[in-house]
Amino acid sequence: MFCEDVKIEDVMTAVEEKRPFYLYSKSQLTRNYAAYARALQGMEYMVGYAVKANNNLKILEHLRDMGSSAVLVSGNELKLAIKAGFDPSRCVFNGNGKLLDELILAAEHNVLINVDSEFDLEQICEAGRIAGKQIKVLLRINPDVDPQVHPYIATGNKNSKFGIRNERLGWFLEQVKSHSDEVKLVGVHCHLGSTISKVSIFRDAAVLMVGYVDHIRSEGFEIQYLNIGGGLGIDYHHEGANYPTPTDLVNTVHDLLAGRDLTFIIEPGRSLVANAAVLVNRVTGVKSNGNKNFIVIDGSMSELIRPSLYGAYQHIELVSPPAAGAKRATFDVVGPVCESSDFLGKDRELPTPEKGAGIVVHDAGAYCMAMASTYNLRMRPPEYWVEEDGKTVTKIRHAENLDDHLSYFDGL
Ligand SMILES: Cc1ncc(COP(=O)(O)O)c(C=O)c1O
Ligand SMILES: N[C@@H](CCCC[NH3+])C(=O)O
């Protein structure tokens, strides 16, 4: 198995840490961003990369170099985006529980802020007063569209904690009008959920959202932005053809934007970074409990929690061809963590690997390292990428180690 022109087995031999690591293709990140830029060509647009998907500083800098802006959900993400060189006035701050100090920081940097609730608007006004700024805000509307995804990652239907309800819109418009020193309404936003595999779902939402734009404009507001959120899924099952692309997404809403003089904001996370990485692990051993077969690897739910958390499928493969005569069997691929939920894959048909064999979890660029923990004192893994020459492997994040943990107790 190769990452660009580099044999993954060779990277395993070369890296200093003999433990799981993430390996990215920088070229794949470039291709993913270019797919959005191509799809949006000719339109007024902003691609706001959702930093929560992967907050590696080198990846952020690369996306910024390609023209991306950033979508943020915490004060620390904003600080990191500034460090990575993003223009904060082209960034968007989202969230249902933003804190006053985070809002003041965002106001000071002229970040666009999405209003999520009544109390959120009150606090945004307070931040505007304290910072002495008129904050540009978008209303995050809950359009109640079913994204047809795992309930834990659906965000735009009626059971969701995010966004404002249609019935309250009038109240928000009045409040914005009467607080014009602190806030200026410049747009509307929605985000339906993540791993969406049908672009018709985005169209359903966009139809509602342009309706809101028209209505709010008729109330005398100058609306500049329509922000449709993120959420486009990727082909985790490696089924090939027909998985929707950024072009399919943009094409399905294009006619709704035509003639409306709007800047279109899209907030992709997963579809920019997920397929640009693998988690590389080693086989510790193979066992059977009589009922089930297990491949025990050195990676775990600490490095990659999506299968444990959502029952998510990520494709698993051996890095090198198996030894001659290796029997194929059905395995659960599990880690060493003391939890029965510690699995990377269930019921996978694989050749029986040898101890020490490399085994990768695919599509590990989004919500994998970003959600890694130090549970069982498994310190977070290092990250590498293959440069755009296709050959050079560069470390892009150091491994954590026990000293990092011990440093939290220094001087106590
Ligand atoms: C408001 C908002 N925007 C963008 C994203 C990015 O979503 P995705 O990674 O599915 O593209 C998320 C995460 O779901 C989100 O909550
Ligand atoms: N963490 C989720 C996605 C959540 C998106 C954030 N709103 C995942 O791994 O699929």
Side-chain angles (χ1 to χ4, degrees), residues 29-71:
L29 295 168
T30 305
R31 289 190 283 269
N32 291 346
Y33 186 83
Y36 272 100
R38 221 175 19 250
L40 292 157
Q41 218 171 15
M43 297 167 69
E44 282 296 319
Y45 73 88
M46 259 167 52
V47 175
Y49 167 60
V51 170
K52 74 186 99 170
N54 188 313
N55 54 32
N56 183 296
L57 184 59
K58 300 291 163 194
I59 291 174
L60 294 184
E61 287 169 351
H62 183 51
L63 290 169
R64 177 218 59 202
D65 282 348
M66 285 187 292
S68 182
S69 56
V71 167

Side-chain angles (χ1 to χ4, degrees), residues 97-118:
K98 306 182 227 39
L99 301 176
L100 184 61
D101 62 332
E102 297 176 311
L103 288 167
I104 295 170
L105 183 73
E108 286 167 350
H109 288 91
N110 304 312
V111 174
L112 298 166
I113 301 183
N114 283 340
V115 177
D116 187 84
S117 63
E118 289 83 349

Side-chain angles (χ1 to χ4, degrees), residues 166-207:
N166 178 30
E167 307 87 89
R168 297 292 289 158
L169 183 62
W171 183 89
F172 282 94
L173 297 182
E174 269 170 35
Q175 290 297 307
V176 169
K177 234 176 221 162
S178 61
H179 289 89
S180 58
D181 285 346
E182 297 101 333
V183 286
K184 176 171 190 220
L185 181 60
V186 294
V188 290
H189 170 255
C190 70
H191 173 71
L192 305 174
S194 205
T195 69
I196 298 171
S197 60
K198 286 189 201 141
V199 290
S200 61
I201 292 171
F202 289 100
R203 182 171 177 91
D204 293 346
V207 167

